[in-house]
Amino acid sequence: MIGMLSSSMKVSRGVVTGALAGGVAFLTLSRVSQPTQTESGSLFEKLSQVNARLERIESALGVSEFDSQRILDMIAKAKASFPDNLMAKHFDLDYYKSLPADLQKRLLQICKSGAENPDSGMGMYAMNPDDYDIFKPYMDTVIRDYHKIKTEVHHKTNWDLKTKADKLPVGGKLDLTKLGLGMTSMRVRVGRNLKDFPLPGAMSKQNRLDMEQQMLKAFKKLMADPAYGGQYYSLTPGLPESIDEAKYQELVKSHLMFKDMSADTYLASAGIASDWPYGRGCYVSADRGFIVWVGEEDHLRIMCMKKGTVLNDVFDRLQGACDVVEKNSGVFAHSKDYGYVTSCPTNLGTGMRASLHIQIPNLTADGTEAKAKAVCKPLGLSVRGVGGEHTPIGDDGTVDISPSSRLMIEEADIICALYEGIKRLLLEEKKAPPRN
């Protein structure tokens, strides 16, 4: 019976309340007589120990008994009211009931964010690298719906641009000056997770601290290499690498560090924002062209950025950066069907986003990116504000352009698609009425 006690037990002003996992029986200890200071301290200490044990048990199970029915009810409501929530749309109660109790709890943890935030598009986050294999009958349906894949998913990883000769200009150089562009802000990033740790949504505080320490060893090797150099900035209090609030805000403003995750309700529901800011930080190379975020939506976000005119430069540097990080930090989680494993199924496959900042003043003459999106969608391109998703476009019509596909597309194809897409977009910009 004690093993079934929920961690909803609370201690407050001499009154102890608890709820059994079945949800109906309550335990109350009222102040019949005033305990001595020694007795009170002893009682509180024992109850605290019991509560800690119960929290560990609940954590191991994934979702408490009380939460299970609550989450199922929310999924049912989301399925009825939010048809774009893919988690809820494809949730099959019969499949859920066919699973053993431990896997039922794991599945609900995956679905929790989309249940609590029914306006989600995807609505789920994987908690462990093997979730995509264990829950494939369900998750594969969601994945193929999001990525618009009609066939079976078998992702192939390929960075070699030499295999894309038919998609490259003569000489193989993706030269932006040939498209009429000058110095351009180029950025390519990938999400990666270490296979020996749970994914961020299921990590304990100690997991986060251990992973950061493992990464710190890798970053020290990079810092000692003249080709990289740089510094690691930790948000974990009390480390030699820790930074203060002022430095943190400076890095965020410079787009070198990610924002406070605890304010994101989607990540909070998924458990990804838990224990903020412990285990979080970022490595920045000496030239600020190579950045690694630690402890965000994925274990690692590896980015290369540069102002230049040749896309190959930033693409090749990212490939080398990924290799050197994996060599020094540990093997990245990878699925034989879905490619690189990421917390959010939207990033499966390459985990890559390659983008450029370009000015299209004619297509954005109304102050929005609506016309640009209409042009870009058939080209397989996404349009964002200069600060990322949900940010405004630049006053001069500058937008962030990137290929939409991640899964069932090779890395080399993504960078070729970006170049071809920009070429076609600029042709449409010339056709649009001039901006007043």
Side-chain angles (χ1 to χ4, degrees):
M1 182 68 72
I2 292 176
M4 295 293 289
L5 199 61
S6 166
S7 64
S8 58
M9 179 180 287
K10 296 181 176 63
V11 181
S12 177
R13 296 184 180 178
V15 179
V16 182
T17 62
L20 293 180
V24 292
F26 289 88
L27 170 69
T28 303
L29 298 180
S30 301
R31 267 188 293 189
V32 178
S33 60
Q34 189 70 27
T36 66
Q37 184 173 359
T38 302
E39 289 172 337
S40 177
S42 176
L43 176 61
F44 183 86
E45 183 178 329
K46 288 180 179 178
L47 289 170
S48 295
Q49 291 172 353
V50 170
N51 195 48
R53 290 178 62 192
L54 292 170
E55 285 180 346
R56 288 196 296 271
I57 293 171
E58 182 180 298
S59 176
L61 290 173
V63 182
S64 71
E65 293 292 338
F66 284 148
D67 265 357
S68 296
Q69 190 56 52
R70 180 179 69 88
I71 294 172
L72 287 171
D73 290 344
M74 287 190 293
I75 291 173
K77 290 178 181 177
K79 183 188 281 284
S81 304
F82 292 87
D84 294 333
N85 184 322
L86 297 183
M87 175 280 296
K89 174 184 175 181
H90 295 288
F91 190 86
D92 184 339
L93 191 59
D94 289 335
Y95 170 71
Y96 167 79
K97 290 179 178 179
S98 74
L99 300 171
D102 60 329
L103 292 186
Q104 287 182 355
K105 291 178 172 66
R106 280 183 61 174
L107 182 59
L108 290 188
Q109 195 68 37
I110 291 168
C111 299
K112 185 170 180 281
S113 182
E116 294 182 345
N117 301 278
D119 61 338
S120 301
M122 171 54 70
M124 61 165 61
Y125 288 96
M127 297 288 125
N128 291 279
D130 62 358
D131 283 348
Y132 293 106
D133 297 321
I134 291 175
F135 302 106
K136 187 172 183 177
Y138 166 54
M139 295 185 76
D140 185 72
T141 304
V142 178
I143 290 164
R144 286 189 293 109
D145 190 346
Y146 176 84
H147 292 278
K148 305 294 187 290
I149 297 172
K150 305 294 185 184
T151 61
E152 291 186 356
V153 180
H154 297 295
H155 181 82
K156 178 183 177 183
T157 297
N158 175 30
W159 290 77
D160 189 359
L161 281 172
K162 293 177 183 177
T163 63
K164 308 297 173 184
D166 59 324
K167 298 181 180 181
L168 295 171
V170 176
K173 185 183 289 188
L174 298 168
D175 188 347
L176 298 176
T177 63
K178 303 298 184 184
L179 305 183
L181 296 175
M183 295 293 285
T184 303
S185 177
M186 307 179 292
R187 178 186 293 231
V188 189
R189 62 89 168 150
V190 294
R192 294 290 186 264
N193 291 282
L194 303 180
K195 75 177 186 66
D196 292 334
F197 286 91
L199 295 178
M203 294 180 88
S204 66
K205 181 178 179 180
Q206 192 59 52
N207 287 152
R208 300 184 199 281
L209 294 173
D210 290 346
M211 193 198 75
E212 183 181 33
Q213 286 301 309
Q214 184 166 317
M215 290 308 306
L216 188 53
K217 292 177 183 177
F219 294 141
K220 285 181 177 178
K221 293 179 182 178
L222 292 180
M223 288 185 273
D225 185 340
Y228 296 98
Q231 187 173 349
Y232 179 70
Y233 302 95
S234 177
L235 303 185
T236 302
L239 296 183
E241 296 79 17
S242 299
I243 58 174
D244 60 19
E245 180 65 17
K247 184 63 178 180
Y248 169 65
Q249 293 299 336
E250 176 192 322
L251 292 171
V252 170
K253 189 175 181 180
S254 301
H255 304 293
L256 299 175
M257 177 75 83
F258 47 99
K259 297 178 181 178
D260 184 344
M261 298 165 63
S262 63
D264 188 314
T265 57
Y266 302 88
L267 298 182
S269 291
I272 292 172
S274 297
D275 310 308
W276 177 268
Y278 290 88
R280 274 74 173 204
C282 74
Y283 163 77
V284 182
S285 65
D287 65 359
R288 293 195 162 196
F290 170 36
I291 299 168
V292 183
W293 288 353
V294 176
E296 204 233 15
E297 184 178 297
D298 291 304
H299 292 159
L300 307 173
R301 284 286 171 92
I302 305 171
M303 294 169 272
C304 286
M305 59 191 73
K306 181 181 181 180
K307 272 204 166 186
T309 60
V310 180
L311 274 176
N312 307 58
D313 293 345
V314 69
F315 180 75
D316 292 343
R317 188 177 191 190
L318 179 65
Q319 181 183 7
C322 288
D323 290 343
V324 75
V325 170
E326 184 169 24
K327 178 182 177 181
N328 288 292
S329 66
V331 177
F332 295 149
H334 193 274
S335 163
K336 66 181 180 65
D337 289 328
Y338 301 113
Y340 285 103
V341 170
T342 54
S343 291
C344 185
T346 62
N347 290 319
L348 283 170
T350 61
M352 177 182 285
R353 184 173 183 274
S355 67
L356 295 180
H357 284 183
I358 65 169
Q359 289 183 20
I360 45 173
N362 299 338
L363 289 172
T364 57
D366 61 355
T368 75
E369 65 270 37
K371 291 181 181 177
K373 285 184 174 180
V375 171
C376 285
K377 189 172 182 179
L379 302 177
L381 299 177
S382 296
V383 183
R384 300 184 181 186
V386 291
E389 197 169 10
H390 309 306
T391 62
I393 62 175
D395 293 336
D396 60 356
T398 299
V399 293
D400 179 286
I401 304 292
S402 66
S404 307
S405 298
R406 309 273 190 276
L407 183 63
M408 293 278 280
I409 182 173
E410 298 172 10
E411 287 81 356
D413 283 322
I414 288 180
I415 208 71
C416 291
L418 178 59
Y419 187 81
E420 182 61 25
I422 293 294
K423 179 181 177 180
R424 295 185 185 182
L425 179 61
L426 291 175
L427 290 175
E428 294 300 321
E429 167 70 9
K430 290 180 179 178
K431 296 177 186 177
R435 189 173 193 171
N436 295 327

